[in-house]
Amino acid sequence: DIRSFVPPNNCLDGKTILVTGAGDGIGRVAALTYARYGATVLLLGRTSSKLEYVYDEIESFGGKQPAMLPMNLEGATYAEMQQLEGLIHKEVGQLDGILHNAGMLGQLTPLEMYDVDTFAQVMKVNFTATFMLTQALLPLLKDAANGSIVFTSSTVGTHPRAFWGAYALSKQAVEGMSDIFTQETQNTTNLRFNCVNPGGTRTNMRAHAYPGENPMSLKTPEDIMAGYVCLMSNESIGVRGQVVELQPKD
Ligand code: NDP
């Protein structure tokens, strides 16, 4: 069971893992955790100062030297993502996993009222940029012995819910993309594609979505890391096309 997995020490040794949205929330903790288990972590995010802080934390506990990749997924072009592929190829030489974690909430409002520019922005960051980055980095990932791509969904990505608008639709599209990639690659490569649903977790995004909730009632990102590590480690070889729920349904 992925939720109760106890990651063996150094189970990510020798792996290079890119984490998007690595400066804050769940992505920050995932980046630190992957480094603790021996991975070289590539920190992608839009706020350089936050990435620098995570970089320093990894250095301070003696993790492998990470790399910072500042990128705003909202405006990022495919050419920039291909340049990134070239840079990783040249400077690091390998890529074993991507945690697509960056995301934005957008508005919580009926579709009838949803601001169309915000709609496009949420779809770009949560879905389209995720697709573009995956495609651009596929040449590197296909060379990995056991590559793992982890997308981040949400309960409203599996079951659409009123007022969740572009966020729910973007996560539905992410789940569909993971399914299609799985079908298209299962006979040709060892690469595996899965989604993770973290469940309600104590972060800024959750506080914006549920302003009346007591944050102390929620799991922290640290509490749910076993699943994130498992999906990147060789322990999950053979797990494909799943939506892995890291907490019992709320
Ligand atoms: P946070 O808002 O705390 O963190 C989101 C991260 O994504 C930040 O590091 C942020 O960067 C980054 N990001 C946002 N927009 C962009 C962009 N345009 N380009 C690059 N990076 C960007 O959210 P969480 O940690 O809560 O969420 C992480 C993932 O988990 C998301 O995909 C979310 O949808 C999903 N999720 C979270 C749940 C929860 O309860 N927390 C529940 C279900 C799913 P910056 O800090 O610079 O703004």
Side-chain angles (χ1 to χ4, degrees), residues 2 148 182 191-194 230-231 235-242 244:
I2 291 179
S148 175
T182 301
L191 256 188
R192 57 197 193 278
F193 295 83
N194 291 285
C230 183
L231 284 170
E235 307 283 333
S236 62
I237 288 174
V239 178
R240 285 163 171 254
Q242 304 289 310
V244 177

mmCIF file of all heavy atoms in Angstrom, residues 2 148 182 191-194 230-231 235-242 244:
data_model
loop_
_atom_site.group_PDB
_atom_site.id
_atom_site.type_symbol
_atom_site.label_atom_id
_atom_site.label_comp_id
_atom_site.label_asym_id
_atom_site.label_seq_id
_atom_site.Cartn_x
_atom_site.Cartn_y
_atom_site.Cartn_z
ATOM 1 N N ILE A 2 0.665 2.069 -1.000
ATOM 2 C CA ILE A 2 1.550 3.225 -1.186
ATOM 3 C C ILE A 2 1.479 4.210 -0.013
ATOM 4 O O ILE A 2 2.474 4.799 0.381
ATOM 5 C CB ILE A 2 1.218 3.909 -2.538
ATOM 6 C CG1 ILE A 2 1.662 2.971 -3.670
ATOM 7 C CG2 ILE A 2 1.877 5.270 -2.665
ATOM 8 C CD1 ILE A 2 1.392 3.469 -5.059
ATOM 9 N N SER A 148 9.753 7.819 -13.976
ATOM 10 C CA SER A 148 8.436 7.951 -13.353
ATOM 11 C C SER A 148 7.939 9.384 -13.489
ATOM 12 O O SER A 148 8.641 10.320 -13.105
ATOM 13 C CB SER A 148 8.529 7.582 -11.872
ATOM 14 O OG SER A 148 7.293 7.804 -11.215
ATOM 15 N N THR A 182 -0.235 6.713 -20.499
ATOM 16 C CA THR A 182 -0.049 5.326 -20.059
ATOM 17 C C THR A 182 -0.389 4.361 -21.187
ATOM 18 O O THR A 182 0.388 3.447 -21.512
ATOM 19 C CB THR A 182 -0.933 5.037 -18.830
ATOM 20 O OG1 THR A 182 -0.567 5.934 -17.783
ATOM 21 C CG2 THR A 182 -0.762 3.602 -18.337
ATOM 22 N N LEU A 191 8.813 3.733 -18.932
ATOM 23 C CA LEU A 191 8.293 4.950 -18.286
ATOM 24 C C LEU A 191 6.917 4.683 -17.702
ATOM 25 O O LEU A 191 6.074 4.068 -18.347
ATOM 26 C CB LEU A 191 8.100 6.026 -19.346
ATOM 27 C CG LEU A 191 9.076 7.159 -19.475
ATOM 28 C CD1 LEU A 191 8.532 8.171 -20.479
ATOM 29 C CD2 LEU A 191 9.341 7.805 -18.147
ATOM 30 N N ARG A 192 6.667 5.188 -16.503
ATOM 31 C CA ARG A 192 5.322 5.052 -15.954
ATOM 32 C C ARG A 192 4.745 6.424 -15.628
ATOM 33 O O ARG A 192 5.474 7.343 -15.228
ATOM 34 C CB ARG A 192 5.315 4.129 -14.737
ATOM 35 C CG ARG A 192 6.227 4.533 -13.606
ATOM 36 C CD ARG A 192 6.437 3.326 -12.681
ATOM 37 N NE ARG A 192 7.058 3.688 -11.417
ATOM 38 C CZ ARG A 192 8.366 3.863 -11.246
ATOM 39 N NH1 ARG A 192 9.202 3.742 -12.271
ATOM 40 N NH2 ARG A 192 8.845 4.182 -10.051
ATOM 41 N N PHE A 193 3.451 6.531 -15.802
ATOM 42 C CA PHE A 193 2.722 7.787 -15.564
ATOM 43 C C PHE A 193 1.646 7.509 -14.530
ATOM 44 O O PHE A 193 0.860 6.556 -14.693
ATOM 45 C CB PHE A 193 2.027 8.256 -16.852
ATOM 46 C CG PHE A 193 2.967 8.635 -17.961
ATOM 47 C CD1 PHE A 193 3.502 7.672 -18.800
ATOM 48 C CD2 PHE A 193 3.317 9.958 -18.169
ATOM 49 C CE1 PHE A 193 4.364 8.015 -19.837
ATOM 50 C CE2 PHE A 193 4.179 10.311 -19.206
ATOM 51 C CZ PHE A 193 4.697 9.342 -20.042
ATOM 52 N N ASN A 194 1.587 8.310 -13.495
ATOM 53 C CA ASN A 194 0.541 8.191 -12.480
ATOM 54 C C ASN A 194 0.144 9.574 -12.001
ATOM 55 O O ASN A 194 0.882 10.546 -12.181
ATOM 56 C CB ASN A 194 1.056 7.383 -11.271
ATOM 57 C CG ASN A 194 1.273 5.922 -11.603
ATOM 58 O OD1 ASN A 194 0.324 5.160 -11.729
ATOM 59 N ND2 ASN A 194 2.536 5.531 -11.782
ATOM 60 N N CYS A 230 7.465 6.853 -2.758
ATOM 61 C CA CYS A 230 7.209 5.542 -3.356
ATOM 62 C C CYS A 230 7.051 5.651 -4.874
ATOM 63 O O CYS A 230 7.637 4.879 -5.629
ATOM 64 C CB CYS A 230 5.958 4.931 -2.729
ATOM 65 S SG CYS A 230 5.618 3.274 -3.331
ATOM 66 N N LEU A 231 6.272 6.627 -5.314
ATOM 67 C CA LEU A 231 5.996 6.738 -6.754
ATOM 68 C C LEU A 231 7.248 7.082 -7.561
ATOM 69 O O LEU A 231 7.304 6.806 -8.757
ATOM 70 C CB LEU A 231 4.897 7.769 -7.011
ATOM 71 C CG LEU A 231 3.485 7.285 -6.674
ATOM 72 C CD1 LEU A 231 2.484 8.432 -6.724
ATOM 73 C CD2 LEU A 231 3.045 6.162 -7.619
ATOM 74 N N GLU A 235 10.459 1.005 -6.007
ATOM 75 C CA GLU A 235 9.431 0.198 -5.324
ATOM 76 C C GLU A 235 8.105 0.252 -6.083
ATOM 77 O O GLU A 235 7.256 -0.612 -5.901
ATOM 78 C CB GLU A 235 9.185 0.723 -3.898
ATOM 79 C CG GLU A 235 10.427 0.854 -3.051
ATOM 80 C CD GLU A 235 10.925 -0.472 -2.502
ATOM 81 O OE1 GLU A 235 10.107 -1.390 -2.331
ATOM 82 O OE2 GLU A 235 12.141 -0.579 -2.255
ATOM 83 N N SER A 236 7.908 1.286 -6.887
ATOM 84 C CA SER A 236 6.617 1.414 -7.589
ATOM 85 C C SER A 236 6.702 0.989 -9.055
ATOM 86 O O SER A 236 5.770 1.262 -9.825
ATOM 87 C CB SER A 236 6.096 2.848 -7.476
ATOM 88 O OG SER A 236 6.996 3.750 -8.092
ATOM 89 N N ILE A 237 7.771 0.318 -9.418
ATOM 90 C CA ILE A 237 7.842 -0.199 -10.795
ATOM 91 C C ILE A 237 6.622 -1.101 -11.019
ATOM 92 O O ILE A 237 6.290 -1.929 -10.177
ATOM 93 C CB ILE A 237 9.162 -0.983 -11.014
ATOM 94 C CG1 ILE A 237 10.334 0.000 -11.077
ATOM 95 C CG2 ILE A 237 9.097 -1.820 -12.298
ATOM 96 C CD1 ILE A 237 11.693 -0.658 -11.139
ATOM 97 N N GLY A 238 5.947 -0.904 -12.114
ATOM 98 C CA GLY A 238 4.739 -1.697 -12.386
ATOM 99 C C GLY A 238 3.458 -0.964 -12.037
ATOM 100 O O GLY A 238 2.383 -1.353 -12.473
ATOM 101 N N VAL A 239 3.562 0.098 -11.243
ATOM 102 C CA VAL A 239 2.376 0.919 -10.953
ATOM 103 C C VAL A 239 2.239 1.928 -12.097
ATOM 104 O O VAL A 239 3.108 2.763 -12.304
ATOM 105 C CB VAL A 239 2.516 1.659 -9.602
ATOM 106 C CG1 VAL A 239 1.299 2.540 -9.343
ATOM 107 C CG2 VAL A 239 2.729 0.679 -8.464
ATOM 108 N N ARG A 240 1.163 1.803 -12.855
ATOM 109 C CA ARG A 240 0.980 2.641 -14.046
ATOM 110 C C ARG A 240 -0.455 3.095 -14.148
ATOM 111 O O ARG A 240 -1.378 2.326 -13.855
ATOM 112 C CB ARG A 240 1.247 1.821 -15.314
ATOM 113 C CG ARG A 240 2.671 1.533 -15.598
ATOM 114 C CD ARG A 240 2.776 0.399 -16.606
ATOM 115 N NE ARG A 240 4.162 0.284 -17.020
ATOM 116 C CZ ARG A 240 4.611 0.676 -18.208
ATOM 117 N NH1 ARG A 240 3.790 1.160 -19.101
ATOM 118 N NH2 ARG A 240 5.885 0.583 -18.490
ATOM 119 N N GLY A 241 -0.645 4.307 -14.593
ATOM 120 C CA GLY A 241 -1.994 4.768 -14.922
ATOM 121 C C GLY A 241 -2.933 4.843 -13.730
ATOM 122 O O GLY A 241 -4.144 4.797 -13.895
ATOM 123 N N GLN A 242 -2.378 5.005 -12.537
ATOM 124 C CA GLN A 242 -3.216 5.059 -11.332
ATOM 125 C C GLN A 242 -3.450 6.513 -10.907
ATOM 126 O O GLN A 242 -2.655 7.394 -11.223
ATOM 127 C CB GLN A 242 -2.527 4.343 -10.164
ATOM 128 C CG GLN A 242 -2.139 2.908 -10.442
ATOM 129 C CD GLN A 242 -3.346 2.002 -10.522
ATOM 130 O OE1 GLN A 242 -4.201 2.020 -9.645
ATOM 131 N NE2 GLN A 242 -3.435 1.235 -11.597
ATOM 132 N N VAL A 244 -3.427 7.874 -7.349
ATOM 133 C CA VAL A 244 -3.121 7.392 -6.004
ATOM 134 C C VAL A 244 -3.608 8.420 -4.984
ATOM 135 O O VAL A 244 -3.133 9.561 -4.969
ATOM 136 C CB VAL A 244 -1.603 7.149 -5.856
ATOM 137 C CG1 VAL A 244 -1.269 6.716 -4.440
ATOM 138 C CG2 VAL A 244 -1.128 6.112 -6.861
#
